[in-house]
């Protein structure tokens, strides 16, 4: 009989997504998750919110269940300019609290999440319904959510973005949109333009609970390659030339045939490098009982590569 320490662990292996080989698919098998959830059953979601070290304990335990392969795959994929994105799937019908634990373990293997001012926690859950009275595109179901990066209007570094589909009812459409900068045909035109390096002002609406204004360059270099900082809703260009530049750039991204449309099933996680992947959302089809709940975390890498 095996002792706990010699119990054979699951060795994970990512594979390329059929829609774009840059996106890596990774399945977290039930055997690993069962052991992980059993060994963490005393740790509630509330405790995760109150006791930060428990989030890192979770990360350690999940990686152990995967024989150390999970952290390695996540870090290597996210830092690799050629890939930089994962769709992580879990077995169906996991409880919401279990999914929050799994996403917490995943995020803490790559870094630390920023405090999310919208929720007052290290993560935020938000829903999309038929009606909406908010002040940004985030919850507007029937509108195309244009391609953007996260963290534009905050001071902290936003190296990565994690999105987890928690629940979905009567949802047709609403796919996650993704564009890798190196797939965007006209990227160099905008990245090399002087206005691409001009600081632009970013401010957020009241619901985000962030009252500062920051100056951000649209394009910047990391590891010798162009990276993007842009969202149409929160940029406050000071001149007509800046406005036209941002408009043309956004339209160019929107027109790129390389934009992926990923139908993210419930329990699946998208984890992307926020420096060179832009993201957005397709509009949903009208339905009075539409309901979709997403969890997000955004943060900095542990290690800079
Ligand atoms: Fe976003």
């Amino acid at each position: 009989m095996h002792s706990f320490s010699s119990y054979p662990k699951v060795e994970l292996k990512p594979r390329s997504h059929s829609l774009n080989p840059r996106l890596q698919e990774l399945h977290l098998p039930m055997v690993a998750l069962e052991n992980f959830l059993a060994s963490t059953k005393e740790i509630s979601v509330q405790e995760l919110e109150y006791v930060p070290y428990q989030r890192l304990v979770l990360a350690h335990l999940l990686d152990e269940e995967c024989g150390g392969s999970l952290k390695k795959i996540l870090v290597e994929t996210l830092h690799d300019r050629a890939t930089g994105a994962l769709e992580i799937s879990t077995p169906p019908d996991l409880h919401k609290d279990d999914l929050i634990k799994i996403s917490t373990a995943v995020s803490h293997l790559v870094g630390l999440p920023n405090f999310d001012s919208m929720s007052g926690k290290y993560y935020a859950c938000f829903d999309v319904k038929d009606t909406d009275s908010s002040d940004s595109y985030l919850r507007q179901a029937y509108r195309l959510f244009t391609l953007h990066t996260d963290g534009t209007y905050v001071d902290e570094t936003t190296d990565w973005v994690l999105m987890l589909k928690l629940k979905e009812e009567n949802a047709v459409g609403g796919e996650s949109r993704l564009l890798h900068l190196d797939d965007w045909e006209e990227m160099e035109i905008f990245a090399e333009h002087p206005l691409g390096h001009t600081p632009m002002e970013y401010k957020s609406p009241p619901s985000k609970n962030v009252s500062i204004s920051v100056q951000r360059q649209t394009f910047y270099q990391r590891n010798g390659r162009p990276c993007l900082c842009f969202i149409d809703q929160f940029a406050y260009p000071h001149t007509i030339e800046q406005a036209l530049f941002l408009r043309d750039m956004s339209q160019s991204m929107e027109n790129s045939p390389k934009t992926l449309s990923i139908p993210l099933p419930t329990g699946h996680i998208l984890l992307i490098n926020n420096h060179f992947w832009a993201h957005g959302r397709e509009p949903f089809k009208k339905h009075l009982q539409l309901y979709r709940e997403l969890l997000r975390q955004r943060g900095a890498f542990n290690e800079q590569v």
Side-chain angles (χ1 to χ4, degrees):
M1 200 171 137
H2 287 291
S3 70
F4 181 75
S5 59
S6 64
Y7 188 86
K9 304 296 182 187
V10 177
E11 179 81 24
L12 301 181
K13 233 182 153 61
R15 57 175 196 192
S16 295
H17 198 286
S18 58
L19 290 175
N20 185 326
R22 294 186 186 281
L23 177 61
Q24 300 297 296
E25 281 184 311
L26 186 67
H27 183 65
L28 296 179
M30 198 61 204
V31 58
L33 293 180
E34 258 172 6
N35 290 337
F36 166 72
L37 293 171
S39 64
T40 60
K41 68 174 187 304
E42 304 302 332
I43 305 174
S44 66
V45 168
Q46 188 184 61
E47 187 172 351
L48 286 178
E49 291 171 6
Y50 291 176
V51 186
Y53 73 69
Q54 292 289 27
R55 305 169 201 165
L56 288 154
V57 169
L58 246 59
H60 171 69
L61 291 172
L62 185 57
D63 196 41
E64 269 204 333
E65 288 304 330
C66 303
S69 59
L70 181 57
K71 179 180 167 76
K72 191 168 182 296
I73 290 166
L74 296 176
V75 170
E76 284 180 3
T77 306
L78 280 184
H79 284 277
D80 182 1
R81 175 83 184 200
T83 55
L86 297 121
E87 179 177 350
I88 304 167
S89 57
T90 59
D93 303 323
L94 286 175
H95 189 271
K96 178 177 174 179
D97 284 2
D98 293 341
L99 289 172
I100 293 175
K101 283 183 175 185
I102 293 163
S103 70
T104 299
V106 165
S107 66
H108 285 75
L109 286 172
V110 297
L112 291 180
N114 297 333
F115 177 76
D116 196 311
S117 304
M118 199 172 87
S119 65
K121 302 172 186 174
Y122 70 94
Y123 67 94
C125 296
F126 55 93
D127 52 30
V128 168
K129 291 185 260 193
D130 178 57
T131 52
D132 168 66
S133 57
S134 66
D135 54 9
S136 79
Y137 291 158
L138 185 65
R139 294 190 177 88
Q140 293 185 12
Y142 306 124
R143 196 181 197 295
L144 178 82
F145 198 167
T146 44
L147 291 163
H148 65 278
T149 59
D150 273 11
T152 52
Y153 55 83
V154 295
D155 260 342
E156 305 119 309
T157 309
T158 308
D159 291 326
W160 51 265
V161 177
L162 178 150
M163 291 164 276
L164 160 64
K165 177 84 56 78
L166 285 170
K167 200 170 179 182
E168 200 162 62
E169 285 165 6
N170 306 305
V172 178
E175 295 89 351
S176 300
R177 304 174 71 222
L178 289 175
L179 177 63
H180 189 292
L181 291 199
D182 296 340
D183 286 341
W184 172 21
E185 302 78 1
E186 296 180 325
M187 186 266 282
E188 301 285 350
I189 297 173
F190 294 96
E192 287 166 14
H193 194 287
L195 285 171
H197 308 123
T198 304
M200 304 264 184
E201 186 179 9
Y202 276 87
K203 291 186 286 195
S204 62
S207 69
K208 310 289 182 188
N209 301 324
V210 178
S211 54
I212 54 165
S213 137
V214 292
Q215 298 284 326
R216 283 288 162 86
Q217 265 183 229
T218 308
F219 288 93
Y220 56 97
Q221 294 272 317
R222 248 172 103 90
N223 301 321
R225 297 290 299 144
C227 296
L228 179 69
C229 173
F230 172 68
I231 185 163
D232 54 6
Q233 304 171 78
F234 310 135
Y236 286 77
H238 291 186
T239 67
I240 290 172
E241 287 75 19
Q242 289 177 8
L244 294 177
F245 175 81
L246 293 181
R247 181 202 61 181
D248 292 349
M249 188 193 74
S250 180
Q251 284 180 352
S252 170
M253 277 198 287
E254 294 305 319
N255 292 334
S256 171
K258 291 291 179 61
T259 300
L260 304 172
S261 190
I262 310 283
L264 196 69
T266 302
H268 284 220
I269 294 169
L270 273 180
L271 181 58
I272 60 171
N273 186 311
N274 189 50
H275 298 288
F276 52 81
W277 278 95
H279 65 278
R281 187 183 66 225
E282 302 284 354
F284 287 92
K285 298 266 182 302
K286 175 83 179 164
H287 196 293
L288 292 175
Q289 273 80 45
L290 167 69
Y291 184 81
R292 193 217 59 173
E293 189 177 11
L294 202 76
L295 175 149
R296 76 166 179 218
Q297 294 181 53
R298 307 163 309 186
F301 286 135
N302 273 337
E303 39 217 295
Q304 296 300 331
V305 176

XYZ file of all heavy atoms in Angstrom, residues 242-300:
489
model
N -4.387 62.367 -30.653
C -4.351 61.194 -29.767
C -5.649 60.387 -29.891
O -5.631 59.157 -29.940
C -4.179 61.630 -28.304
C -2.800 62.171 -27.979
C -2.715 62.648 -26.529
O -3.627 62.447 -25.737
N -1.609 63.300 -26.194
N -6.767 61.096 -29.959
C -8.066 60.418 -30.063
C -8.162 59.622 -31.362
O -8.616 58.467 -31.374
C -9.192 61.434 -29.980
N -7.709 60.236 -32.454
C -7.779 59.538 -33.747
C -6.860 58.319 -33.747
O -7.203 57.266 -34.299
C -7.395 60.494 -34.881
C -8.372 61.661 -35.120
C -7.844 62.581 -36.224
C -9.771 61.165 -35.469
N -5.705 58.476 -33.118
C -4.774 57.343 -33.031
C -5.425 56.174 -32.290
O -5.408 55.029 -32.757
C -3.484 57.772 -32.312
C -2.523 56.646 -32.079
C -1.671 56.213 -33.086
C -2.482 55.989 -30.845
C -0.793 55.155 -32.879
C -1.612 54.920 -30.627
C -0.769 54.515 -31.642
N -6.023 56.473 -31.149
C -6.654 55.391 -30.357
C -7.837 54.784 -31.106
O -8.022 53.570 -31.104
C -7.097 55.913 -28.987
C -5.981 56.317 -28.018
C -6.572 56.797 -26.696
C -5.002 55.167 -27.764
N -8.627 55.617 -31.745
C -9.773 55.099 -32.498
C -9.303 54.168 -33.610
O -9.822 53.058 -33.779
C -10.585 56.252 -33.094
C -11.802 55.759 -33.866
C -12.312 56.761 -34.871
N -11.318 57.081 -35.891
C -11.505 57.950 -36.879
N -12.652 58.598 -36.964
N -10.561 58.195 -37.775
N -8.307 54.629 -34.385
C -7.822 53.818 -35.512
C -7.197 52.509 -35.010
O -7.359 51.454 -35.620
C -6.801 54.604 -36.336
C -7.449 55.769 -37.066
O -8.703 55.835 -37.099
O -6.712 56.635 -37.590
N -6.483 52.611 -33.901
C -5.839 51.416 -33.368
C -6.884 50.404 -32.893
O -6.787 49.210 -33.187
C -4.933 51.815 -32.199
C -4.083 50.676 -31.706
S -3.340 51.072 -30.137
C -4.739 50.913 -29.057
N -7.904 50.890 -32.198
C -8.953 50.000 -31.721
C -9.667 49.346 -32.901
O -9.911 48.128 -32.904
C -9.948 50.789 -30.856
O -10.973 49.948 -30.390
N -9.962 50.149 -33.918
C -10.646 49.585 -35.100
C -9.782 48.538 -35.788
O -10.276 47.517 -36.253
C -11.006 50.703 -36.078
C -12.210 51.517 -35.612
C -12.581 52.642 -36.571
O -11.857 52.918 -37.532
N -13.688 53.298 -36.293
N -8.477 48.800 -35.835
C -7.568 47.840 -36.472
C -7.580 46.509 -35.722
O -7.632 45.438 -36.340
C -6.152 48.436 -36.500
O -5.225 47.452 -36.890
N -7.565 46.571 -34.388
C -7.638 45.318 -33.607
C -8.976 44.621 -33.844
O -9.031 43.414 -34.041
C -7.490 45.619 -32.107
C -6.070 45.760 -31.650
S -5.922 45.581 -29.858
C -6.624 47.105 -29.293
N -10.046 45.417 -33.800
C -11.385 44.824 -33.967
C -11.540 44.154 -35.332
O -12.273 43.183 -35.474
C -12.477 45.889 -33.800
C -12.579 46.473 -32.402
C -12.774 45.410 -31.341
O -13.543 44.471 -31.572
O -12.135 45.519 -30.276
N -10.845 44.702 -36.328
C -10.958 44.151 -37.688
C -10.016 42.987 -37.938
O -10.045 42.392 -39.017
C -10.690 45.247 -38.725
C -11.791 46.295 -38.736
O -12.931 45.993 -38.371
N -11.473 47.520 -39.125
N -9.160 42.668 -36.991
C -8.195 41.592 -37.232
C -8.911 40.243 -37.302
O -9.608 39.848 -36.362
C -7.146 41.555 -36.119
O -6.365 40.381 -36.276
N -8.711 39.517 -38.404
C -9.328 38.180 -38.485
C -8.696 37.185 -37.529
O -9.197 36.069 -37.365
C -9.085 37.775 -39.951
C -7.986 38.651 -40.446
C -7.967 39.895 -39.600
N -7.609 37.573 -36.888
C -6.921 36.658 -35.966
C -7.531 36.669 -34.561
O -7.091 35.931 -33.686
C -5.436 37.018 -35.887
C -4.668 36.732 -37.171
C -4.549 35.237 -37.393
C -3.815 34.864 -38.656
N -2.452 35.309 -38.729
N -8.521 37.538 -34.329
C -9.165 37.556 -33.019
C -9.892 36.232 -32.780
O -10.672 35.791 -33.621
C -10.162 38.725 -32.912
O -9.439 39.938 -33.103
C -10.836 38.765 -31.550
N -9.602 35.623 -31.645
C -10.226 34.347 -31.306
C -11.534 34.585 -30.572
O -11.672 35.559 -29.840
C -9.315 33.536 -30.382
C -7.908 33.261 -30.865
C -7.088 32.613 -29.758
C -7.990 32.328 -32.058
N -12.457 33.684 -30.750
C -13.727 33.726 -30.031
C -13.852 32.389 -29.307
O -14.088 31.357 -29.926
C -14.844 33.919 -31.066
O -16.039 34.200 -30.423
N -13.636 32.415 -28.002
C -13.528 31.174 -27.231
C -14.824 30.960 -26.438
O -15.157 31.756 -25.558
C -12.363 31.248 -26.213
C -11.069 31.706 -26.887
C -12.183 29.928 -25.471
C -10.370 30.662 -27.685
N -15.557 29.889 -26.725
C -16.763 29.619 -25.931
C -16.381 28.963 -24.602
O -16.233 27.746 -24.518
C -17.554 28.652 -26.827
C -16.548 28.052 -27.759
C -15.293 28.855 -27.720
N -16.179 29.765 -23.588
C -15.649 29.262 -22.316
C -16.742 28.553 -21.514
O -17.673 29.191 -21.018
C -15.096 30.445 -21.519
C -14.169 30.134 -20.346
C -12.838 29.580 -20.828
C -13.942 31.388 -19.498
N -16.666 27.217 -21.360
C -17.698 26.519 -20.579
C -17.582 26.828 -19.078
O -16.530 27.269 -18.612
C -17.413 25.039 -20.841
C -16.465 24.999 -21.992
C -15.699 26.285 -21.943
N -18.650 26.563 -18.346
C -18.638 26.739 -16.893
C -17.521 25.889 -16.284
O -17.327 24.738 -16.674
C -19.996 26.312 -16.311
O -21.003 27.091 -16.937
C -20.042 26.540 -14.814
N -16.794 26.478 -15.358
C -15.696 25.759 -14.714
C -14.368 25.890 -15.439
O -13.360 25.373 -14.968
N -14.361 26.573 -16.571
C -13.107 26.773 -17.290
C -12.496 28.124 -16.912
O -13.209 29.091 -16.649
C -13.322 26.731 -18.801
C -13.517 25.334 -19.330
N -12.965 24.903 -20.520
C -14.189 24.279 -18.814
C -13.308 23.635 -20.719
N -14.054 23.238 -19.700
N -11.184 28.143 -16.928
C -10.418 29.341 -16.560
C -9.612 29.791 -17.771
O -8.986 28.970 -18.439
C -9.418 29.003 -15.415
C -10.165 28.634 -14.133
C -8.439 30.144 -15.191
C -9.256 28.037 -13.055
N -9.629 31.088 -18.036
C -8.684 31.655 -19.002
C -7.630 32.401 -18.200
O -7.971 33.227 -17.340
C -9.378 32.630 -19.949
C -10.018 32.076 -21.214
C -10.651 33.212 -22.003
C -9.021 31.325 -22.092
N -6.384 32.116 -18.470
C -5.282 32.790 -17.785
C -4.351 33.328 -18.859
O -3.800 32.546 -19.646
C -4.566 31.780 -16.873
C -3.395 32.286 -16.038
C -3.798 33.440 -15.124
C -2.817 31.142 -15.197
N -4.224 34.657 -18.916
C -3.465 35.256 -20.030
C -2.416 36.241 -19.533
O -2.570 36.863 -18.485
C -4.408 35.994 -21.024
C -5.169 37.120 -20.322
C -5.367 35.027 -21.693
C -5.933 38.025 -21.289
N -1.366 36.369 -20.315
C -0.375 37.410 -20.088
C -0.992 38.715 -20.583
O -1.339 38.847 -21.758
C 0.906 37.069 -20.862
C 2.022 38.048 -20.559
O 1.830 39.263 -20.606
N 3.191 37.535 -20.252
N -1.126 39.677 -19.684
C -1.835 40.925 -19.975
C -0.981 41.913 -20.771
O -1.478 42.951 -21.187
C -2.259 41.559 -18.637
C -3.174 42.740 -18.789
O -4.183 42.681 -19.496
N -2.828 43.852 -18.137
N 0.292 41.605 -20.988
C 1.158 42.521 -21.733
C 1.018 42.344 -23.241
O 1.170 43.293 -23.989
C 2.626 42.312 -21.343
C 2.916 42.602 -19.908
N 2.939 43.878 -19.408
C 3.170 41.768 -18.856
C 3.213 43.834 -18.099
N 3.346 42.564 -17.748
N 0.741 41.103 -23.680
C 0.705 40.891 -25.136
C -0.526 40.110 -25.615
O -0.576 39.691 -26.763
C 2.015 40.255 -25.644
C 2.445 39.000 -24.930
C 1.891 37.775 -25.251
C 3.441 39.053 -23.958
C 2.301 36.615 -24.623
C 3.863 37.888 -23.311
C 3.295 36.666 -23.647
N -1.514 39.918 -24.742
C -2.820 39.403 -25.168
C -3.871 40.458 -24.830
O -3.989 40.868 -23.664
C -3.198 38.122 -24.427
C -2.616 36.850 -24.949
C -1.491 36.225 -24.518
C -3.152 36.009 -25.990
N -1.286 35.054 -25.211
C -2.294 34.904 -26.124
C -4.276 36.091 -26.826
C -2.515 33.884 -27.058
C -4.495 35.067 -27.749
C -3.617 33.989 -27.866
N -4.642 40.891 -25.833
C -5.802 41.747 -25.559
C -7.019 40.836 -25.427
O -7.058 39.753 -26.021
C -6.002 42.732 -26.708
N -7.992 41.277 -24.618
C -9.183 40.445 -24.445
C -10.453 41.289 -24.507
O -10.418 42.506 -24.363
C -9.114 39.655 -23.128
C -9.134 40.509 -21.902
N -8.013 41.127 -21.390
C -10.148 40.870 -21.077
C -8.325 41.808 -20.321
N -9.624 41.685 -20.101
N -11.576 40.608 -24.720
C -12.876 41.276 -24.791
C -13.970 40.222 -24.732
O -13.731 39.090 -24.297
N -15.161 40.594 -25.165
C -16.284 39.637 -25.096
C -17.249 39.890 -26.247
O -17.550 41.040 -26.574
C -17.015 39.786 -23.767
C -18.088 38.722 -23.522
C -18.835 38.979 -22.219
N -19.597 40.206 -22.296
C -19.633 41.126 -21.338
N -18.971 40.967 -20.217
N -20.343 42.214 -21.491
N -17.737 38.796 -26.833
C -18.773 38.900 -27.872
C -20.096 39.282 -27.205
O -20.312 38.974 -26.029
C -18.973 37.550 -28.584
C -17.744 36.968 -29.251
C -17.385 37.650 -30.557
O -18.161 38.523 -31.011
O -16.322 37.339 -31.105
N -21.003 39.917 -27.943
C -22.316 40.196 -27.342
C -23.110 38.902 -27.137
O -22.920 37.928 -27.862
C -23.012 41.077 -28.392
C -22.150 41.100 -29.593
C -20.883 40.379 -29.327
N -23.975 38.919 -26.130
C -24.895 37.794 -25.929
C -26.123 38.007 -26.812
O -26.455 39.126 -27.193
C -25.366 37.743 -24.466
C -24.312 37.264 -23.506
C -23.486 38.168 -22.861
C -24.157 35.918 -23.233
C -22.512 37.740 -21.965
C -23.187 35.476 -22.346
C -22.362 36.398 -21.703
N -26.840 36.896 -27.085
C -28.141 36.988 -27.743
C -29.173 37.334 -26.675
O -29.100 36.859 -25.545
C -28.511 35.646 -28.399
C -27.548 35.215 -29.499
C -28.031 35.666 -30.875
C -27.120 35.206 -31.995
N -25.711 35.637 -31.925
N -30.115 38.157 -27.080
C -31.131 38.640 -26.145
C -31.895 37.483 -25.484
O -32.376 36.578 -26.170
C -32.096 39.540 -26.912
C -33.292 40.033 -26.123
C -32.957 41.245 -25.298
C -34.172 41.742 -24.529
N -33.798 42.670 -23.438
N -31.973 37.494 -24.169
C -32.786 36.527 -23.428
C -33.142 37.146 -22.079
O -32.257 37.614 -21.352
C -32.030 35.210 -23.218
C -32.918 34.076 -22.806
N -33.573 34.035 -21.596
C -33.278 32.949 -23.464
C -34.287 32.923 -21.520
N -34.133 32.252 -22.644
N -34.427 37.146 -21.741
C -34.871 37.818 -20.518
C -34.288 37.176 -19.261
O -34.110 37.828 -18.239
C -36.408 37.822 -20.428
C -37.117 38.688 -21.482
C -38.622 38.530 -21.368
C -36.717 40.158 -21.345
N -34.000 35.859 -19.341
C -33.449 35.170 -18.157
C -31.950 34.904 -18.294
O -31.416 33.994 -17.652
C -34.169 33.837 -17.918
C -35.423 33.955 -17.066
C -36.601 34.437 -17.883
O -36.824 33.955 -18.989
N -37.338 35.401 -17.349
N -31.296 35.699 -19.115
C -29.844 35.534 -19.258
C -29.151 35.721 -17.902
O -29.443 36.665 -17.176
C -29.306 36.588 -20.247
C -27.781 36.755 -20.288
C -27.116 35.524 -20.887
C -27.399 37.991 -21.094
N -28.230 34.787 -17.585
C -27.430 34.962 -16.374
C -26.063 34.342 -16.592
O -25.943 33.186 -17.004
C -28.094 34.290 -15.162
C -27.323 34.559 -13.889
C -27.482 35.758 -13.210
C -26.404 33.636 -13.404
C -26.757 36.034 -12.061
C -25.672 33.900 -12.248
C -25.852 35.097 -11.581
O -25.129 35.380 -10.453
N -25.033 35.102 -16.325
C -23.683 34.571 -16.421
C -22.841 35.197 -15.312
O -22.911 36.408 -15.071
C -23.069 34.920 -17.775
C -21.814 34.140 -18.049
C -20.786 34.939 -18.765
N -20.409 36.125 -17.994
C -19.432 36.945 -18.326
N -18.790 36.759 -19.438
N -19.133 37.994 -17.577
N -22.110 34.371 -14.615
C -21.282 34.887 -13.531
C -19.821 34.523 -13.793
O -19.496 33.370 -14.081
C -21.731 34.308 -12.187
C -21.055 34.987 -11.018
C -21.530 34.479 -9.657
O -22.239 33.457 -9.613
O -21.177 35.115 -8.650
N -18.973 35.534 -13.690
C -17.553 35.358 -13.954
C -16.757 35.796 -12.729
O -17.147 36.738 -12.034
C -17.164 36.244 -15.141
C -15.914 35.879 -15.928
C -16.187 34.690 -16.847
C -15.466 37.063 -16.790
N -15.669 35.096 -12.469
C -14.742 35.522 -11.416
C -13.484 36.027 -12.102
O -13.020 35.432 -13.073
C -14.406 34.344 -10.511
C -13.356 34.567 -9.408
C -13.673 33.687 -8.207
C -11.927 34.288 -9.871
N -12.930 37.116 -11.595
C -11.676 37.596 -12.167
C -10.654 37.824 -11.067
O -11.003 38.163 -9.934
C -11.896 38.878 -12.965
C -12.077 40.077 -12.089
C -11.965 41.393 -12.827
N -12.172 42.479 -11.885
C -12.821 43.592 -12.152
N -13.339 43.789 -13.333
N -12.935 44.526 -11.231
N -9.414 37.607 -11.442
C -8.280 37.995 -10.606
C -7.248 38.580 -11.550
O -7.116 38.123 -12.680
C -7.667 36.785 -9.902
C -8.546 36.117 -8.879
C -7.836 34.941 -8.207
O -6.740 35.051 -7.687
N -8.476 33.797 -8.250
N -6.529 39.583 -11.063
C -5.482 40.196 -11.869
C -4.321 40.482 -10.951
O -4.537 40.843 -9.794
C -5.961 41.512 -12.475
C -7.233 41.294 -13.214
C -8.045 42.405 -13.539
N -8.456 43.392 -12.616
C -9.316 44.340 -12.971
N -9.761 44.375 -14.208
N -9.703 45.243 -12.116
N -3.115 40.317 -11.464
C -2.000 40.557 -10.552
C -0.654 40.604 -11.216
O -0.537 40.709 -12.451
N 0.360 40.505 -10.362
C 1.756 40.587 -10.813
C 2.375 39.203 -10.776
O 1.958 38.337 -10.002
C 2.521 41.535 -9.902
